[in-house]
Amino acid sequence: MRKNSVKNIRINGEVQRVLAEIIRDLKDPRISPLTSVVSVEVAPDLKTCKAWISVYGDDNEKILKDTVEGLKSAEGYIRRELAGRINLRNTPEIRFIVDQSIAYGVRMSKLIDEVSEGLSKEES
């Protein structure tokens, strides 16, 4: 199976949806309830999976670090739940990666707003 085949794209979407449900149902207090699965990339051989996660309002670095720690410690449970909910030949080994793109976008948007306010004050 190719990396960008229709089948692989469908598998990525399904794994992302189910992973988000599993993470939402976790009872670990370290995992923030505002954790979302931004993207998932399952290898063509279905052995490994990269899951990019984001925590809304992740200004506090400790919350982000605790969430990643909690997800890594629950990796076995998450993988077992994934195997039960999705019928795949192999259940992929999941690697959680922190996605900073949302926080970066919000920061850039604030900077653009500040610059545009400064320019409008200069014109007045």
Side-chain angles (χ1 to χ4, degrees):
M1 177 172 58
R2 288 185 156 158
K3 186 173 183 175
N4 291 326
S5 69
V6 173
K7 184 177 179 183
N8 198 320
I9 291 170
R10 262 194 357 251
I11 289 172
N12 289 344
E14 186 66 15
V15 169
Q16 180 178 355
R17 184 185 65 77
V18 172
L19 226 104
E21 290 174 4
I22 294 170
I23 290 173
R24 190 175 356 133
D25 295 340
L26 288 176
K27 304 275 191 262
D28 193 335
R30 295 177 291 182
I31 299 172
S32 171
L34 301 174
T35 302
S36 62
V37 180
V38 178
S39 179
V40 168
E41 183 181 307
V42 179
D45 63 355
L46 304 176
K47 299 280 186 188
T48 60
C49 170
K50 293 179 188 175
W52 284 271
I53 60 159
S54 175
V55 178
Y56 183 73
D58 61 356
D59 296 335
N60 190 347
E61 193 68 32
K62 184 177 180 342
I63 293 172
L64 190 61
K65 186 178 178 184
D66 286 347
T67 298
V68 171
E69 251 179 51
L71 288 172
K72 284 184 181 177
S73 71
E75 191 174 328
Y77 171 78
I78 293 170
R79 189 173 179 195
R80 187 172 59 246
E81 283 292 312
L82 189 66
R85 295 184 191 187
I86 299 178
N87 187 16
L88 293 173
R89 186 176 344 116
N90 298 318
T91 303
E93 183 180 318
I94 304 164
R95 230 178 67 212
F96 294 103
I97 302 168
V98 177
D99 183 37
Q100 300 288 351
S101 64
I102 295 174
Y104 179 77
V106 169
R107 197 172 120 249
M108 284 294 128
S109 180
K110 285 180 184 177
L111 290 173
I112 290 169
D113 289 344
E114 289 174 9
V115 169
S116 64
E117 284 178 17
L119 291 175
S120 64
K121 286 181 182 179
E122 285 180 9
E123 290 176 0
S124 302

